[in-house]
Amino acid sequence: MTVHNWQAYLTGYLVLTISGDDPEAFLNLALARGLTLLDVTRTGKGQILVKMPVSEYRLLRPLARESHCRVRIVDKRGLPFFSRRLRGRQLLLAGVLFFLVAIYILSACVWVVDVRPEKGTLRQVTPDQVIAAARAEGLKPGAWKGRIDIRALEYGLEQRLPQLAWVGVSFHGTRAEIKVVEKIPPPAGDDYELPASIIAAKDGVIKQILVMNGEGRVAVGDTVRRGEVLISGLILPPEPEKKPGENQPQQQPRPEPRLVRARGIVRARVWYEEEKEIERLQVREQATGRQQRAIIIKTPGRQVVLRGPARSPYAHYLQENKVITLPSWRNFPPPVELIISTYREIRIQKQQLGYEEAVRVAGQQALASLKARLPAGVTITGEKIIPLTGTGEQKVRVRAWVETEEDIGQVVPLHGRTPPGGNPPATPG
């Protein structure tokens, strides 16, 4: 709606029909007098439908006489007429206000609580246990979102469910989503306690890091490369403090570096990229439903058609062969084979895609291929498609990106031990 239409709605306007031998003459006279006419539409021979402000209606009578036309009010619209209709309907107005207030109040509450594991399926706890713990902490259907402290809620859930290593709570409208990560139980054997670091399994930008054991080497917002140490299992001793007035710190025996098993969660933004090229001239095969079947006996050096055509009766077709052989005896293959050939007619359809349509199709194929090779449990946070070819080329090539949020940590054992009084071994981290 234009500015003039909004102004007309606020002040009120009339819908008029102008009929006569020459309604165009009426319009010319009205425009010459500076009157406002909106949405002029011809509804029939000798009849025109227009809209105009209420304040200018009294000026139409002399114009109608001069042009020998008849002016009739069809409808009255706008805020003044609408409010006049509501004057005798206070109950309806109160109901509308009550409905709006109720919608606002209901939207400010939580009505659905969902549990979503970040990695695979839950093994140590059930979604019902998580929901029950959240209810005990105050998160339940009907709870007021403004009174829920998300940080305190996450901490309370971690305390109530020690099987969880991480809890994240977020609101999506009236739905509360609880994301959980279970603690990994120690595997059988002694390898679980051997020193190890956590390195980046792929490139990314750190979104969240939770160090449970070891020494964090990166922070939120850092860009990391594959193989870079995220949480080191090699903990170096702190540098000795220098007291005021001393030129050099006192020579004291420094503690030896410690090797530990690094544990933690490192989530990062990761990008996947793929290029796709398609022809703008698309050739497709569509089955017509017509088919012919042939039964052939094949012997060494000869084929005999028992039934059906010897070759396909269609110009474009798909052939499906079913071979039936007799059981072989010792090392002698059977000399006779029965072949059932089915010829299915297809229709070749050619379609020339426009540039924008070809970019869209190629982008969809590239995104589908990217999503098919994404690791399980990742969260897709963004998609992007960029064309790499111009509008005049018959082949369209695009580059697609998919942005994900995932745990990129990979445990790498630290081999060797720190010799007493010596330097730490050359190990990752």
Side-chain angles (χ1 to χ4, degrees), residues 344-403:
R344 293 185 173 86
E345 184 185 27
I346 59 174
R347 182 185 296 112
I348 304 298
Q349 294 182 337
K350 296 183 178 181
Q351 180 184 8
Q352 181 70 27
L353 299 179
Y355 178 75
E356 298 295 336
E357 178 68 13
V359 169
R360 186 185 65 82
V361 172
Q364 289 180 347
Q365 294 180 4
L367 288 177
S369 178
L370 278 175
K371 293 177 181 178
R373 58 187 179 90
L374 290 180
V378 304
T379 302
I380 297 177
T381 58
E383 300 173 355
K384 187 176 182 181
I385 299 173
I386 294 181
L388 302 178
T389 54
T391 58
E393 300 186 24
Q394 284 298 316
K395 290 185 178 182
V396 173
R397 187 170 72 255
V398 300
R399 179 179 292 130
W401 284 276
V402 171
E403 179 184 339

Side-chain angles (χ1 to χ4, degrees), residues 64-96:
R65 285 199 300 264
E66 185 177 350
S67 60
H68 305 288
C69 292
R70 180 186 176 191
V71 179
R72 186 169 63 90
I73 299 176
V74 178
D75 195 6
K76 301 177 181 180
R77 301 176 183 175
L79 186 60
F81 300 107
F82 180 73
S83 60
R84 189 177 303 171
R85 295 190 187 101
L86 290 180
R87 287 177 184 174
R89 303 180 180 179
Q90 288 82 3
L91 187 61
L92 175 62
L93 184 59
V96 172

